Amino acid sequence: MIMPVVLCDADNTLWDTDAVFADAQRALLENIESMIGAQCDRPDRLDFVRQYDQALALIHHLHLRYPPHLLVLALTEGLNGKSPETAAIQIVSGISQAGPISLEAAEELGSLFQERLKVIPRLLPGVRDGLRLALQKDVPIYMLTEGRIDKQKRIIESHKLSENFRAVLEMTKSLQQYERLRSRFLPAEVVVLGDQLDRDIDPARAAGCTTVYVPGRFTPSWNLSKGSQHASYQAENFEDAMIWIINRVVPYFKSSRVADT
Ligand SMILES: [Mg+2]
């Protein structure tokens, strides 16, 4: 019996990166408001920030990794009434220079925002139990990240989960990369587990991997219209995902947690 190899996304699949971003985005909006003396009048302040964030990510060549001072500048325009799209085009093309905030001040708030993003995120429900289960059953788990390896390793270590992962792999989540990993682990089945349909599920499925979708709370606008009908399984949380994966290889297997209750 060959156990499947699990390739697991990290952000919003293993830990709550979304909450860290939400806190930092709310704090950033407050900082900008007090600096320029304007108030956001929307009831959903987080949604306000995220509309500008996503408008920038959609048109910037670095996508979600655009420099954070651009978000400061876009929000400043937003607080002055500009729509997310108009503000993003203006900021990314560099047209808007003489705004109510200097470039230096924007960069300063931008780096403060980045500092806040370094907070260690908490693990999502079911992750610790699911990882324990995988270890018990000898299911190898590799973490996949498009972000920085050192950052993800730091989070793994601070949650004392180093022994639960065979390795952390940094890669672009493309069809070709999933195909490469699928051949690398042959004859084992490769199961890709993640919270984003466009990065974790669609290209992995196209590469012939089994896919498990664990919906997160954060769905960027470009994923909203897509359904989850294409994943092999939609899990409630990480532990549910792991039970499903193990059940397919070890029929009638139930987690000890389920068996105890
Ligand atoms: Mg993710």
Side-chain angles (χ1 to χ4, degrees), residues 9-14 17 173 194-196 199-200:
D9 169 58
D11 291 320
N12 299 313
T13 296
L14 293 170
T17 313
K173 291 177 172 173
D195 74 301
Q196 294 296 317
R199 319 300 299 163
D200 307 314

Side-chain angles (χ1 to χ4, degrees), residues 4-261:
V5 169
V6 176
L7 308 179
C8 182
D9 169 58
D11 291 320
N12 299 313
T13 296
L14 293 170
W15 43 73
D16 199 351
T17 313
D18 182 63
V20 174
F21 268 86
D23 288 346
Q25 286 166 331
R26 285 194 195 95
L28 178 66
L29 181 57
E30 271 172 37
N31 286 342
I32 299 172
E33 285 172 333
S34 54
M35 189 173 274
I36 68 169
Q39 200 69 27
C40 168
D41 56 5
R42 312 283 175 81
D44 192 340
R45 296 169 58 80
L46 184 58
D47 180 64
F48 176 78
V49 178
R50 290 185 167 181
Q51 281 184 21
Y52 290 84
D53 173 48
Q54 291 179 40
L56 285 167
L58 267 177
I59 61 168
H60 199 279
H61 68 283
L62 294 174
H63 202 46
L64 281 167
R65 292 201 218 179
Y66 67 82
H69 74 276
L70 298 186
L71 179 59
V72 180
L73 295 173
L75 287 171
T76 307
E77 297 292 343
L79 289 170
N80 284 325
K82 289 243 168 72
S83 75
E85 294 69 28
T86 311
I89 291 168
Q90 234 182 302
I91 301 300
V92 172
S93 61
I95 299 168
S96 161
Q97 289 301 331
I101 192 167
S102 70
L103 187 60
E104 291 71 32
E107 282 173 346
E108 204 170 302
L109 287 185
S111 29
L112 194 62
F113 175 68
Q114 267 186 326
E115 277 307 306
R116 288 204 172 94
L117 294 180
K118 290 183 185 161
V119 170
I120 299 290
R122 65 179 177 83
L123 294 180
L124 285 165
V127 168
R128 205 172 279 283
D129 289 340
L131 287 173
R132 193 179 299 136
L133 212 54
L135 204 58
Q136 278 170 14
K137 295 286 165 190
D138 283 329
V139 179
I141 301 187
Y142 292 80
M143 203 190 89
L144 293 189
T145 182
E146 290 186 300
R148 291 189 357 253
I149 275 191
D150 54 342
K151 185 183 176 189
Q152 306 295 32
K153 281 190 172 162
R154 194 167 59 89
I155 301 174
I156 289 177
E157 279 160 22
S158 64
H159 286 296
K160 303 196 175 0
L161 293 174
S162 303
E163 65 165 345
N164 296 84
F165 295 93
R166 293 283 170 97
V168 178
L169 309 174
E170 187 178 341
M171 64 167 236
T172 306
K173 291 177 172 173
S174 63
L175 170 66
Q176 291 74 20
Q177 294 296 311
Y178 282 117
E179 278 174 343
R180 186 179 61 80
L181 287 174
R182 190 172 166 246
S183 334
R184 170 179 160 182
F185 291 113
L186 279 172
E189 176 191 11
V190 169
V191 182
V192 177
L193 198 158
D195 74 301
Q196 294 296 317
L197 295 170
D198 63 336
R199 319 300 299 163
D200 307 314
I201 304 302
D202 293 343
R205 188 191 66 245
C209 304
T210 301
T211 51
V212 179
Y213 176 50
V214 190
R217 279 179 305 169
F218 173 66
T219 307
S221 55
W222 48 86
N223 268 353
L224 276 180
S225 56
K226 297 186 184 171
S228 61
Q229 66 273 21
H230 295 309
S232 314
Y233 180 62
Q234 177 167 331
E236 267 174 50
N237 60 35
F238 189 86
E239 186 185 18
D240 178 37
M242 209 47 74
I243 292 172
W244 183 81
I245 292 166
I246 297 171
N247 260 330
R248 294 167 68 244
V249 187
V250 188
Y252 311 115
F253 161 79
K254 285 202 173 82
S255 83
S256 52
R257 189 185 63 89
V258 173
D260 289 346
T261 52

